[in-house]
Amino acid sequence: RYNRPHSIPRRAHVAPGGFLLNFIMRVFSLTAATLLSAAALSANAADRFDSLAASGALSAGVDVTHLVRSSVDARLTQARVNDRTDGGSLWLDVTGAKTRAEKLTGDAGYKATVGVANLGADIQTSTHTFGVVYFYGEGDFDTVKTEHRDGDAAYYGVMIYGEERLGDAALAAKLGWTRMKNGVDTPTGHVYGMDGNLFTADMTANYRIRTPWLDIVPHAGVEATFINADNWSDGSSYGEPDNAVLYEFPVGVTLTTARALGAYSVRSTLDVTYAAAAGDKTLKGKINGSASETNYFEDGRVKVTAGLAATGEKGTLGLLYRFEAAEHDRENHSLTLQGKYVF
């Protein structure tokens, strides 16, 4: 009987060109996956960095410096128009503020609630005033019209101030330091520390015009804010925010009048100011070597302040309302309770 040999399977023939094409496709697939992974990592890192400005952490920090500056300005103005006697004084004020800029970054922005307490002391002579104020504040901020991010912040620092008077003219200066510590929650559930330092340097000139009914105090100045945001790293990503310098040029007028009410002098005050801004109104930096940039301030702000204060022999108790408006749907509202004791 004839037995047929067992058939032996033959290997599929692969042409040299097909083998090369298969190898190229595999390399391309691995490279694409690597690039997509890197892109996702970079986007995630950029999201974390942008939250410093987009969530309002940095913008709210600048607003805190404005609240402290405004308290010092009000302190100096009240001392002048009330013809304060020479000597020392302790003062305290507490401010609650609601701020928002709903189009700070295109169609998205932030809203925040901030509280700040200032404790100050100063000494006045016939032509000079010198003082120092310590402050502490806390804030809560949330993004609007974008992926939800929220955060909590703490602010603390010190500001020294002085004024020299020559008749009805005066020149005032302020130097301050603010430390901001922010914890920003991202949509992924992570919390990143967005911290930094804000250094401020201001110079303001004003002139008191006396009339039988009210005092008119026109004023103009320059305010500089130096921003030093800390670098951050979470092990897989690294952010390097650049330093930034913001300049503001407030020009305005204060109207104030006082009336006797028993043993007290009751003074009402209204101030209207426009502050143009220049310098770095965006925060730039690098994420894993790639450039990043976010908005945190506007081209200028309109500021209106109204106040009422009662002054007795040794002290003053007052209330101030402040309103700020600007582009990016910016609206800031704050209410300040003031108290001082003269010794």
Side-chain angles (χ1 to χ4, degrees):
R1 183 178 179 182
Y2 176 72
N3 293 323
R4 296 179 60 186
H6 295 290
S7 61
I8 300 175
R10 290 184 297 176
R11 291 182 180 177
H13 177 69
V14 179
F19 176 82
L20 181 60
L21 179 61
N22 187 48
F23 176 79
I24 292 174
M25 290 299 293
R26 284 179 175 272
V27 171
F28 176 81
S29 177
L30 289 173
T31 304
T34 302
L35 290 175
L36 288 173
S37 176
L41 177 62
S42 177
N44 192 30
D47 179 74
R48 298 166 197 165
F49 175 74
D50 288 351
S51 64
L52 175 61
S55 69
L58 178 56
S59 189
V62 174
D63 288 339
V64 167
T65 70
H66 285 161
L67 292 175
V68 178
R69 287 158 151 162
S70 295
S71 289
V72 173
D73 290 341
R75 172 79 186 114
L76 291 173
T77 299
Q78 288 176 359
R80 288 194 64 206
V81 297
N82 286 331
D83 296 317
R84 173 186 155 187
T85 58
D86 294 351
S89 176
L90 293 174
W91 60 277
L92 170 70
D93 70 28
V94 179
T95 300
K98 281 190 173 293
T99 67
R100 68 179 178 91
E102 295 190 355
K103 295 184 179 180
L104 187 63
T105 56
D107 290 329
Y110 83 100
K111 59 182 180 180
T113 302
V114 178
V116 181
N118 301 304
L119 177 61
D122 51 42
I123 297 176
Q124 177 165 305
T125 67
S126 59
T127 57
H128 295 85
T129 298
F130 178 79
V132 60
V133 55
Y134 299 92
F135 57 90
Y136 177 81
E138 292 185 354
D140 177 81
F141 45 86
D142 299 272
T143 54
V144 294
K145 301 178 183 178
T146 185
E147 287 184 305
H148 183 69
R149 307 183 189 115
D150 59 45
D152 298 310
Y155 311 94
Y156 56 87
V158 61
M159 182 174 290
I160 59 174
Y161 58 93
E163 183 178 68
E164 182 171 359
R165 295 173 295 279
L166 182 60
D168 287 323
L171 184 66
K174 304 187 290 290
L175 291 173
W177 164 72
T178 303
R179 177 64 178 172
M180 62 177 186
K181 298 183 71 66
N182 299 289
V184 180
D185 299 329
T186 67
T188 59
H190 294 86
V191 178
Y192 302 96
M194 297 292 189
D195 304 335
N197 297 292
L198 304 174
F199 301 94
T200 59
D202 309 337
M203 186 75 73
T204 305
N206 62 66
Y207 188 83
R208 181 183 181 185
I209 302 171
R210 304 169 189 255
T211 76
W213 306 280
L214 59 91
D215 287 347
I216 305 171
V217 187
H219 55 84
V222 57
E223 299 178 349
T225 304
F226 303 88
I227 299 167
N228 173 234
D230 294 352
N231 292 348
W232 57 265
S233 175
D234 64 2
S236 60
S237 304
Y238 186 74
E240 301 174 275
D242 292 346
N243 294 335
V245 183
L246 175 69
Y247 298 99
E248 296 175 80
F249 305 93
V251 177
V253 62
T254 302
L255 307 176
T256 179
T257 184
R259 295 290 183 269
L261 185 63
Y264 297 91
S265 173
V266 179
R267 179 173 293 277
S268 56
T269 303
L270 176 66
D271 180 88
V272 179
T273 296
Y274 177 74
D280 301 317
K281 290 170 284 186
T282 62
L283 185 67
K284 301 178 181 179
K286 292 182 178 179
I287 305 296
N288 296 335
S290 299
S292 177
E293 182 175 358
T294 55
N295 295 329
Y296 74 91
F297 209 77
E298 304 84 19
D299 291 332
R301 292 186 180 184
V302 175
K303 306 180 182 184
V304 179
T305 303
L308 190 67
T311 300
E313 182 180 357
K314 286 292 185 178
T316 297
L317 187 64
L319 195 65
L320 279 178
Y321 168 73
R322 300 183 183 94
F323 170 75
E324 296 184 1
E327 58 183 326
H328 303 150
D329 281 358
R330 161 74 64 183
E331 280 191 18
N332 292 355
H333 302 267
S334 65
L335 193 64
T336 301
L337 179 64
Q338 301 174 313
K340 70 174 182 181
Y341 176 78
V342 179
F343 56 90

